[in-house]
Amino acid sequence: MSIQPEHPDFLWRNPEPKRSYDVVIIGGGGHGLATAHYLARNHGITDVAVLEKGWLAGGNMARNTTLIRSNYLWDESAAIYEHSLKLWEGLEEDLDYPILFSQRGVLNLAHTQQDVRDSVRRVEANVLNGVDAEWLTPDEVKKICPIVNTSSEIRYPVLGATYQPRAGIAKHDYVAWGFARRASAAGVDLIQDCEVTGFTTDGDRVTGVRTTRGDIAAGQVALCAAGHTSTLTDLLGVPVPIQSHPLQALVSELLEPVHPTVVMSNAVHVYVSQAHKGELVMGAGVDSYNGYGQRGAFHIIERQMAAAVELFPVFARAHLLRTWGGIVDVSPDASPIVGRTPYEGLWLNCGWGTGGFKATPGLGWCLAHTLAHDEPHPYVAPFGLDRFVTGALVDEHGAAAVAH
Amino acid sequence: MQLIECPWCGPREEVEFHYGGEAHVSYPPDPSTLSDEQWARYVFFRANPKGRFHERWSHSAGCRRWFNAVRDTATYRFHGVYRPDEQKPVIP
Amino acid sequence: MTRLPGRGRVDHDTTWRFTFDGRELTGHPGDTLASALLAHGVHRTGSSVNLGRPRGIGAAWAEDPGGLVQVEEPFPEPMLLATTIELHDGLVARGLSGRGRLADVPDSARYDRMHAHADVLVVGAGPAGLTAALTAARAGARVVLVDEQSEAGGDLLGTADRIAGAPALDWVSAAVAELRSYPDVRHLQRTTAFGHYDDGFVLALERRTGHLGLAAPRHVSRQRVWRIRAREVVVATGAHERPVVFCDNDRPGIMLASGARTFLHRYGVRAGCDAVVFTTGDSAYASAVDLADAGTRVHAVLDARAEAPAYWRAECERRGIPVRTGHVVTGTEGTEGTGRVSAVSTATLRDGVLGEAARIECDLLLVSGGWNPAVHLFSQAGGRLRFDNGLGAFVPSGELPGVTVAGTAAGVFDLAGCLSRDPADAGPAPTPPLVLWRVPGEQGRQFVDVARDATVADIARALGAGMRSVEHVKRYTTIGTAHDQGKTSGVVASGIIAELLGTPVRELGTTTFRPPYTPVAFAALAGRSRGALFDPERTTALHDWHVARGAVFEDVGQWKRPRYYPRPGEDMDAAVLRESRAARRGVGILDGSTLGKIDVQGPDAAVLLDRIYTNLMSSLRPGMVRYGVICGVDGMVLDDGTVLRVAEDRFLVYTTTGGAATVLDWMEEWLQTEWPELRVHLTSVTEQWATFPVVGPRSRDVIAALAPQVDCSAGAFPFMAWRDTTVDGVPVRIARVSFSGELAYEVNVNAWYAPAVWERLLDAGRPHDITPYGTETMHVLRAEKGYPIIGQDTDGTVAPYDLGMAWAVSRKKSDFVGKRSFARVENRNPLRKQLVGLLPLDRATVLPEGSQIIGTDTLPEPPVPMLGHVTSSYRSAELGRPFALALVRAGRDRIGQTLHVPVGGDLVAVEVTGSVLVDPEGARRDG
């Protein structure tokens, strides 16, 4: 277990907003900051502002459970998430920041015959897509993660698991700060406490944003506001098919190392890893109702604890230390929505559900490309709004619902 | 965990209820006359406001009846519930 | 020994042994581990997590940021505070360095949960809480009173306060006794309210047997989570004293002033022999005075204020305790080994400038930097807080419906106020406290959060890096993220940040209070929902029979279904080949009772089903059965099954096993929310009907023997018809439906009679060697006929056309749910995946289900274009070779082509066929 890394002495400037930028990014979370970084790094575009209504990376970036993986079923998903994973693998050097990226692998447990079929299907598809993936027997699961209860006596015995060795975790805050630091150093203005309250338009073109710190003109505007996206698009009368739900997570106190990898299970809803300092980090289920409150109901946590102790009996006397909630923006097919809006100059990026963190560098890279070329990057092109009209969905929950 | 007022049963625990999303989205009278865009709007697009929201709930582990509610999605507070055949209430 | 004979609320006459860090020590009933350690002069409990600096007991209860221990016996439990562990005989514990150890064996203790409903829930049995509970109880309210300590009294347990001229604890005893006299009062000690949610919902953890140690009865749950729903919640949770930050303020022997007072009065333990008290307010004087009275040499009270309170100055003078106003502690020295404080440096502080310095030797430094109301439960439920400049603390602000904050939690710091009494009981007139977050000094040695080794320097560094938000600083420094969640450090951190930034604290705010208030064991929250009770197991009426027959079960939803019935020496393949051969050549029987069943009744029943199913159901005649498909509005297959028309106004709808609840909910939703004008009622009858498919060429003989009064000839009882009859006077409904392509009958009976009718069927089938078969054989039989399983051969992206089921989609109906989606661009894509059969050309490979399908006979570099995947795959006794079903792009156009399936490292060549591989002409249906 590593101790606290050394942070750089300087992270970001706190400038006053200018009256005009080439690119305005709404939302100073992981996606907004990564997009700003890659705009500067890959395209030399630095006349950029990232507008954040609260504190940088204080939304889902600060609240997610930091899993990074790319073992998605469909080609379109595998492509963007694998692109992202490859970027993660070089991110520490790129950002020159200790982001504690740890490729400890992820196990997705199967508990029913249908889980097994879905898992094998995903593994086989992953392999053909160049994503590392294996199917493991319960004994092999036990070798990788000895504390998983692989007894046949439990309610839903473990019948096997998919394994992606290159998957892992990172320290969410440090990732955000790393992107912010590089973006700020490149000249990007990171403006906190700056809430967008409206847009300025010229016909069907967005020309800027109205904010609590004044109007700001923009050549292009990128929405990186996750669950709050529709509250912004509503201002323009542009409907976006996302629903924002509470999603809770929790941590234990610091514990000696017991859990060497990441384990996920759908049937027995568990998602757990042990973070660098030693706390168990767990994601709970999504609360059913729409909610922006960044909190959820406790029975979801109780259910989560039952599942955790069922699959990991040694967790019995670990202690729940803190629970919190984020806002998960869910699209109809559980895939992101990235691309054009009916307004020229306004780009959409939302609907990442539980996939937003792991996509951070990949999306940032592709959205920066999209803004620079005024054309969706090939990896995000399948995720446009038009798919809901044509029916060409990328249905990740229909195929193999794997949350987080 | 909230107490939710079922219009038929009275206040019950949240776990007894099933969420049904936006209310007052009627099935189109003749879908075949709709364009693909219009149909997509009905199938996939629902309002997602931060604040007061007219939404549907079902008392699924109780009387199994559907009803509508006005709830604030920021505070989660219910401002009223009403039966499907009742008028949308005006909430101050 | 620093134990004072006869003092405190411990039983001095009984001595218990316990072990700490390998040392055998003694204590008494009523002790906590912390008080017992202090009684032996042990302050240090471990080391800090990052720097390895000595850490010790810093308070007397849950706010202690320092005294973390690991319990090893009776059962390992990590990261507990010595101050909250009730001592018991035989306890084995050890100090920690910031990380605990989980047991490597399962915890066999029981945990459970209880619900309680109350008019008034009072949290905290201190003076304010008891007063509130008494008031409510006297008014006849249903009251629940919870308190986290082992006995009622709250802070009074740690003081020598008096109420109305008598010891305050007498008043407490009387209050508790009075509460006991009300039948509607539930009073729970050792019960910590840890979460406060909407509408008066409070979760509390009751520690029921842990304090009994090895004597804990095994049949009693160790801990219990109370789920309390209350109309009114009174938060009387008191306040936490907070420290002042100075150099080397993290040593063992440095303690909150109130903590030392509690150790003295409640446990009869002097926390030190030579004490210095450093305070910014009045309350610490009582600690100084009481400790002095108990024999501790109090060398100085250093009061950072310019003026000391007259009353307390006099009390100190009377005892020879020097009071030095305008003084602060600037640093400490420690003892080799234990690290315990051995001396303090002190200096005057005026206008932020340190003056004349001095050094005082001591073994105990008591610190009081003011009090933070314990607003956690108020804030968790959405209560707003405001920063009170006078107190230097966040206090409740504004109304929160249904919640009242009382006593010190509300910022009321005098006992009379807490008791709602006239001020006659009030103590000396208070002198306003000074809000002092830190003393000037070397920032890197000034600890803000001792549990996380986070210093003022860390805060300064975060601010220098550009951070301005408390949340950023907290994340950068990790302040407030330890076991205590910043109970003592949170507000101090806000204060220091504000000071360094030169902004008011109220503008910065504090971090959010999140549940739980104190850590709760996972197992306690899991409660009984473990093992068999993790999720209900659903079994059919024949479950015992299946078990007796040695069935191997599979989980299908919550159901336990027999997968196959191995005979001695058989593996699954052998058993399934035998079972399926019997069904194709003789007769087999399946327990299909898990199929979902919905009774649809009402004059508009047919109208509803016409709108829900893709097929036309209204044209179905009573007495007949029709297969139907249900789609979502997106046009994708949701479920399928047979529909049996009982009468003009009544249908019995069968769903898949896994889809039963979904389909019922689906129909209810449409019926109630879209078509309330339809007069239809829906009732689940899944559990009421047992269903036994009797399958195979000999099935007619079996049914004829079972129900001789039914004419089973193909003409009289045609395919897709049903008949009612009786067996031994029991009503039985027989439907001629087939999920195998064979002549087959589905026998339905009230589940009460299922075992009897099942036995009758077995008797009737014995001459034909009737063979029970499980889900695996069912799957083989249906797959050979190309019948899809929804959820296995479909995945939510498959439309009826993709399954080759255009025949099940009505062209007559103007509309049904999902119809419009069929006309979308993507649904007309000729490259859509379609259900086809696959025959491995090697006639040997059973393709793993889930395998992907490619078009080339060599494997190119990734990404490899994939054409589809194998959805079902089996050995076929009938075909004499393995076969599979698959979803393949433009699959029907590829029939006859050879494609390839990567299996292991190899590519298996497969021929694409139609989906129906056995009896494509349907010749066997009538036997």
Side-chain angles (χ1 to χ4, degrees):
Chain A
M1 297 257 166
S2 59
I3 60 161
Q4 293 295 299
E6 275 299 305
H7 295 288
D9 282 328
F10 188 75
L11 290 174
W12 56 72
R13 299 169 289 116
N14 289 289
E16 286 298 313
K18 295 192 294 179
R19 294 289 62 119
S20 169
Y21 292 92
D22 289 346
V23 178
V24 163
I25 296 168
I26 304 177
H31 285 200
L33 294 169
T35 302
H37 167 65
Y38 289 114
L39 274 173
R41 176 193 186 275
N42 293 355
H43 308 285
I45 299 173
T46 57
D47 187 28
V48 175
V50 178
L51 309 184
E52 168 53 50
K53 71 185 171 78
W55 40 286
L56 285 181
N60 289 346
M61 193 66 178
R63 295 155 200 276
N64 80 89
T65 44
T66 79
L67 174 58
I68 294 157
R69 64 183 177 91
S70 64
N71 56 350
Y72 281 71
L73 174 68
W74 298 110
D75 299 348
E76 298 87 345
S77 312
I80 177 113
Y81 284 111
E82 177 60 20
H83 175 59
S84 196
L85 179 50
K86 289 203 172 81
L87 290 173
W88 279 110
E89 288 173 326
L91 200 57
E92 209 153 292
E93 285 97 304
D94 181 18
L95 299 180
D96 188 24
Y97 203 103
I99 61 169
L100 305 183
F101 179 50
S102 159
Q103 289 181 288
R104 56 183 64 189
V106 62
L107 291 165
N108 292 85
L109 304 182
H111 299 271
T112 66
Q113 297 303 328
Q114 190 55 41
D115 274 356
V116 173
R117 293 180 196 106
D118 290 340
S119 300
V120 172
R121 177 186 180 191
R122 190 160 46 78
V123 163
E124 293 294 323
N126 289 161
V127 169
L128 294 179
N129 271 323
V131 174
D132 59 318
E134 300 166 39
W135 168 254
L136 303 184
T137 64
D139 284 346
E140 292 167 326
V141 169
K142 194 86 182 166
K143 282 202 190 86
I144 287 172
C145 189
I147 57 173
V148 175
N149 188 353
T150 52
S151 153
S152 59
E153 300 304 310
I154 65 173
R155 177 67 183 86
Y156 292 111
V158 175
L159 303 182
T162 70
Y163 183 49
Q164 183 179 23
R166 287 165 60 239
I169 58 174
K171 180 68 184 175
H172 49 7
D173 290 331
Y174 304 169
V175 174
W177 301 344
F179 277 119
R181 170 170 164 265
R182 288 292 304 266
S184 181
V188 172
D189 282 354
L190 309 177
I191 319 283
Q192 303 183 69
D193 295 314
C194 179
E195 182 167 4
V196 172
T197 55
F199 295 89
T200 56
T201 56
D202 179 7
D204 61 357
R205 178 169 188 90
V206 164
T207 56
V209 295
R210 300 186 185 285
T211 81
T212 50
R213 296 177 71 171
D215 288 1
I216 300 172
Q220 299 192 84
V221 175
L223 293 165
C224 291
H228 280 86
T229 302
S230 55
T231 65
L232 292 162
T233 53
D234 283 352
L235 299 169
L236 288 166
V238 173
V240 175
I242 58 165
Q243 298 283 292
S244 300
H245 292 273
L247 175 62
Q248 300 181 80
L250 57 99
V251 287
S252 76
E253 70 274 79
L254 305 190
L255 299 165
E256 290 173 14
V258 289
H259 182 29
T261 181
V262 182
V263 172
M264 306 169 62
S265 159
N266 287 328
V268 180
H269 191 285
V270 158
Y271 157 62
V272 60
S273 65
Q274 186 169 18
H276 306 81
K277 289 202 301 281
E279 67 269 37
L280 298 171
V281 181
M282 310 183 98
V286 175
D287 281 75
S288 69
Y289 46 79
N290 290 25
Y292 289 84
Q294 296 186 323
R295 63 192 180 93
F298 197 72
H299 64 269
I300 306 279
I301 300 288
E302 288 179 314
R303 189 68 192 155
Q304 180 56 37
M305 294 289 89
V309 178
E310 174 81 352
L311 279 182
F312 298 90
V314 303
F315 289 174
R317 293 198 189 182
H319 300 101
L320 174 69
L321 185 62
R322 183 176 176 88
T323 62
W324 65 90
I327 305 167
V328 66
D329 43 329
V330 181
S331 74
D333 59 357
S335 283
I337 305 171
V338 184
R340 297 184 191 284
T341 67
Y343 280 88
E344 214 181 310
L346 180 68
W347 295 89
L348 201 56
N349 167 45
C350 63
W352 285 90
T354 54
F357 177 73
K358 56 188 73 71
T360 300
L363 177 280
W365 180 288
C366 293
L367 188 55
H369 174 104
T370 301
L371 291 163
H373 296 269
D374 201 19
E375 183 66 36
H377 184 283
Y379 287 151
V380 296
F383 297 105
L385 258 182
D386 53 338
R387 74 180 189 270
F388 300 104
V389 174
T390 63
L393 305 185
V394 186
D395 198 341
E396 281 293 338
H397 57 38
V402 181
H404 297 288
Chain B
M1 191 158 76
Q2 295 180 275
L3 274 186
I4 298 174
E5 179 94 16
C6 170
W8 286 276
C9 306
R12 294 289 187 275
E13 296 286 339
E14 180 185 325
V15 288
E16 295 184 20
F17 294 84
H18 170 84
Y19 186 63
E22 189 184 5
H24 307 294
V25 181
S26 295
Y27 189 72
D30 185 358
S32 67
T33 62
L34 300 185
S35 68
D36 282 358
E37 284 79 7
Q38 290 168 323
W39 178 245
R41 194 62 61 84
Y42 167 72
V43 175
F44 294 117
F45 288 67
R46 294 293 179 273
N48 187 36
K50 183 177 186 177
R52 301 283 171 87
F53 191 32
H54 292 266
E55 59 187 18
R56 308 182 309 159
W57 288 83
S58 163
H59 191 191
S60 51
C63 66
R64 297 189 59 78
R65 296 177 81 161
W66 283 83
F67 59 94
N68 296 323
V70 183
R71 190 182 57 98
D72 189 311
T73 61
T75 64
Y76 303 173
R77 187 150 297 151
F78 281 81
H79 292 280
V81 295
Y82 54 106
R83 301 178 185 193
D85 57 350
E86 289 176 330
Q87 282 293 311
K88 217 172 170 173
V90 178
I91 305 289
Chain C
M1 287 289 286
T2 58
R3 179 85 68 181
L4 300 166
R7 289 287 301 265
R9 301 179 65 76
V10 298
D11 172 7
H12 292 269
D13 298 333
T14 306
T15 296
W16 280 343
R17 295 183 182 286
F18 70 100
T19 305
F20 185 76
D21 279 343
R23 267 177 81 190
E24 191 162 291
L25 301 169
T26 57
H28 302 298
D31 261 329
T32 61
L33 175 59
S35 66
L37 288 172
L38 292 175
H40 291 276
V42 177
H43 271 259
R44 180 176 180 173
T45 54
S47 307
S48 68
V49 65
N50 289 335
L51 303 176
R53 291 171 67 102
R55 288 288 175 264
I57 296 158
W61 188 246
E63 66 275 23
D64 182 11
L68 282 174
V69 302
Q70 166 88 30
V71 167
E72 295 290 4
E73 289 176 29
F75 190 89
E77 182 158 356
M79 298 291 274
L80 297 173
L81 284 170
T83 54
T84 61
I85 297 173
E86 289 185 50
L87 192 72
H88 59 77
D89 204 25
L91 177 73
V92 178
R94 63 179 170 87
L96 283 180
S97 53
R99 263 187 211 104
R101 180 183 76 83
L102 292 175
D104 45 19
V105 292
D107 180 5
S108 61
R110 290 170 72 126
Y111 299 84
D112 62 13
R113 120 181 5 146
M114 285 279 275
H115 294 258
H117 296 264
D119 296 318
V120 180
L121 166 68
V122 180
V123 182
L130 286 171
T131 302
L134 282 172
T135 306
R138 286 169 187 160
R142 191 159 46 148
V143 176
V144 174
L145 169 64
V146 301
D147 182 88
E148 56 185 342
Q149 308 254 5
S150 59
E151 55 180 325
D155 288 345
L156 297 176
L157 293 165
T159 70
D161 287 352
R162 300 177 75 80
I163 294 175
L169 292 178
D170 291 354
W171 176 86
V172 170
S173 302
V176 169
E178 183 181 340
L179 287 171
R180 198 178 301 128
S181 72
Y182 299 108
D184 272 349
V185 172
R186 187 192 294 276
H187 177 182
L188 299 166
Q189 289 295 144
R190 294 193 175 92
T191 304
T192 306
F194 64 81
H196 186 183
Y197 290 80
D198 305 85
D199 304 318
F201 188 64
V202 173
L203 289 127
L205 180 76
E206 183 186 6
R207 299 177 303 281
R208 305 183 76 210
T209 67
H211 60 286
L212 302 174
L214 295 164
R218 297 196 55 77
H219 64 281
V220 176
S221 60
R222 179 171 175 266
Q223 296 183 342
R224 168 173 288 174
V225 171
W226 286 87
R227 307 165 112 247
I228 305 161
R229 181 72 77 178
R231 288 183 212 281
E232 289 287 332
V233 177
V234 178
V235 177
T237 44
H240 299 135
E241 197 168 25
R242 64 165 182 263
V244 180
V245 174
F246 47 84
C247 288
D248 298 326
N249 58 332
D250 62 331
R251 297 185 191 282
I254 301 177
M255 188 180 283
L256 292 170
S258 61
R261 194 175 181 218
T262 297
F263 284 119
L264 174 68
H265 289 292
R266 185 165 176 190
Y267 304 104
V269 172
R270 276 188 304 156
C273 299
D274 294 276
V276 171
V277 177
F278 172 29
T279 186
T280 63
D282 290 0
S283 65
Y285 282 87
S287 301
V289 165
D290 290 355
L291 278 167
D293 290 348
T296 294
R297 290 176 292 274
V298 180
H299 296 283
V301 173
L302 307 173
D303 192 330
R305 299 174 292 185
E307 287 292 324
Y311 170 85
W312 287 113
R313 178 183 281 279
E315 290 292 313
C316 286
E317 276 167 8
R318 207 149 59 77
R319 292 167 176 83
I321 304 171
V323 175
R324 299 183 189 168
T325 55
H327 275 70
V328 294
V329 171
T330 55
T332 69
E333 296 164 35
T335 314
E336 281 290 309
T338 65
R340 181 169 171 181
V341 65
S342 58
V344 303
S345 312
T346 170
T348 56
L349 177 65
R350 185 166 298 165
D351 301 326
V353 180
L354 293 172
E356 191 186 342
R359 180 175 177 277
I360 309 170
E361 294 196 353
C362 65
D363 63 2
L364 179 68
L365 170 58
L366 302 186
V367 182
S368 178
W371 293 82
N372 302 329
V375 293
H376 303 67
L377 293 179
F378 177 75
S379 174
Q380 284 175 14
R384 294 188 167 281
L385 305 176
R386 68 173 173 84
F387 186 74
D388 183 310
N389 282 317
L391 291 174
F394 290 92
V395 296
S397 164
E399 299 277 295
L400 185 61
V403 182
T404 307
V405 187
T408 48
V412 177
F413 282 95
D414 67 296
L415 181 56
C418 291
L419 295 167
S420 306
R421 279 167 183 250
D422 79 69
D425 278 322
T431 305
L434 173 74
V435 176
L436 177 67
W437 307 115
R438 61 178 281 262
V439 170
E442 187 186 332
Q443 293 180 342
R445 290 167 64 189
Q446 298 190 327
F447 289 84
V448 180
D449 189 337
V450 302
R452 287 291 202 231
D453 285 327
T455 64
V456 176
D458 295 321
I459 294 179
R461 196 146 184 274
L463 300 178
M467 291 175 158
R468 294 295 176 267
S469 143
V470 174
E471 289 283 357
H472 276 146
V473 175
K474 168 187 149 183
R475 287 160 179 274
Y476 188 95
T477 60
T478 72
I479 289 171
T481 62
H483 66 279
D484 64 333
Q485 291 285 290
K487 286 185 179 64
T488 56
S489 61
V491 178
V492 173
S494 289
I496 292 172
I497 294 167
E499 204 168 281
L500 294 176
L501 285 177
T503 51
V505 180
R506 70 182 137 75
E507 279 178 25
L508 276 181
T510 181
T511 57
T512 316
F513 292 98
R514 306 266 188 197
Y517 169 64
T518 50
V520 183
F522 284 15
L525 296 170
R528 301 294 306 280
S529 302
R530 293 166 65 177
L533 298 180
F534 174 71
D535 199 30
E537 247 177 37
R538 297 178 79 184
T539 55
T540 72
L542 297 180
H543 191 70
D544 292 345
W545 189 92
H546 300 316
V547 171
R549 281 296 282 257
V552 173
F553 290 89
E554 78 166 311
D555 289 307
V556 183
Q558 291 172 324
W559 290 100
K560 289 282 180 195
R561 297 199 70 179
R563 194 175 181 199
Y564 57 98
Y565 300 85
R567 287 183 178 168
E570 277 185 343
D571 61 6
M572 184 173 86
D573 285 349
V576 169
L577 285 172
R578 171 179 54 74
E579 290 174 9
S580 50
R581 197 176 293 118
R584 291 257 180 247
R585 305 283 162 76
V587 61
I589 185 167
L590 173 78
D591 181 4
S593 303
T594 62
L595 284 174
K597 299 151 208 115
I598 304 167
D599 191 347
V600 183
Q601 293 192 50
D604 297 316
V607 179
L608 174 71
L609 297 185
D610 272 352
R611 294 182 189 177
I612 294 286
Y613 281 88
T614 62
N615 337 43
L616 197 59
M617 289 297 174
S618 51
S619 62
L620 182 65
R621 285 177 288 115
M624 299 302 288
V625 185
R626 186 164 289 167
Y627 170 80
V629 174
I630 300 176
C631 287
V633 277
D634 61 356
M636 301 304 159
V637 175
L638 190 70
D639 204 69
D640 72 343
T642 53
V643 175
L644 185 153
R645 190 162 199 169
V646 180
E648 275 303 318
D649 61 353
R650 186 171 189 185
F651 294 80
L652 186 60
V653 162
Y654 285 75
T655 74
T656 61
T657 295
T662 308
V663 172
L664 179 63
D665 289 346
W666 185 244
M667 290 186 179
E668 280 285 10
E669 180 179 339
W670 285 98
L671 180 60
Q672 292 185 37
T673 66
E674 287 295 339
W675 309 313
E677 72 280 5
L678 296 184
R679 290 161 298 165
V680 187
H681 287 279
L682 304 168
T683 308
S684 168
V685 290
T686 301
E687 307 273 356
Q688 282 69 25
W689 285 102
T691 302
F692 310 138
V694 180
V695 175
R698 300 264 70 82
S699 59
R700 180 173 287 129
D701 301 333
V702 178
I703 297 301
L706 177 82
Q709 62 277 44
V710 175
D711 181 349
C712 285
S713 66
F717 192 168
F719 184 58
M720 297 306 256
W722 60 270
R723 300 285 181 265
D724 275 351
T725 183
T726 58
V727 172
D728 299 340
V730 173
V732 167
R733 177 170 293 160
I734 302 170
R736 249 203 76 190
V737 295
S738 176
F739 197 39
S740 60
E742 300 296 330
L743 175 69
Y745 298 83
E746 209 168 76
V747 177
N748 294 279
V749 62
N750 181 328
W752 285 101
Y753 301 102
V757 170
W758 177 264
E759 289 292 348
R760 288 291 312 273
L761 282 164
L762 294 182
D763 289 345
R766 196 153 289 125
H768 312 289
D769 195 19
I770 192 168
T771 302
Y773 65 89
T775 51
E776 195 65 21
T777 292
M778 175 189 82
H779 284 180
V780 176
L781 298 176
R782 63 88 201 174
E784 290 171 338
K785 278 291 287 182
Y787 296 144
I789 299 259
I790 307 306
Q792 175 172 343
D793 300 292
T794 70
D795 61 6
T797 69
V798 179
Y801 298 98
D802 305 331
L803 296 172
M805 286 194 176
W807 55 269
V809 178
S810 167
R811 289 194 182 76
K812 289 186 196 150
K813 292 194 286 188
S814 64
D815 194 29
F816 53 81
V817 174
K819 180 181 168 91
R820 174 63 184 80
S821 287
F822 297 157
R824 295 178 304 177
V825 175
E826 184 56 28
N827 289 66
R828 290 182 274 116
N829 183 349
L831 292 179
R832 279 187 74 78
K833 289 179 184 170
Q834 295 168 332
L835 188 72
V836 291
L838 297 181
L839 290 173
L841 295 183
D842 65 5
R843 304 182 69 91
T845 306
V846 180
L847 302 170
E849 290 169 344
S851 297
Q852 297 289 333
I853 299 158
I854 64 172
T856 50
D857 59 2
T858 55
L859 201 56
E861 283 300 302
V864 182
M866 288 168 256
L867 298 174
H869 75 284
V870 173
T871 59
S872 299
S873 177
Y874 311 97
R875 275 176 225 288
S876 169
E878 192 66 15
L879 299 171
R881 63 190 292 184
F883 74 105
L885 296 177
L887 286 168
V888 178
R889 282 197 187 287
R892 289 197 285 274
D893 291 342
R894 295 182 192 270
I895 289 173
Q897 288 182 14
T898 299
L899 299 177
H900 293 85
V901 177
V903 178
D906 300 323
L907 287 182
V908 177
V910 296
E911 181 194 344
V912 181
T913 71
S915 57
V916 187
L917 288 164
V918 167
D919 187 28
E921 55 286 343
R924 298 180 178 186
R925 197 181 70 190
D926 291 325

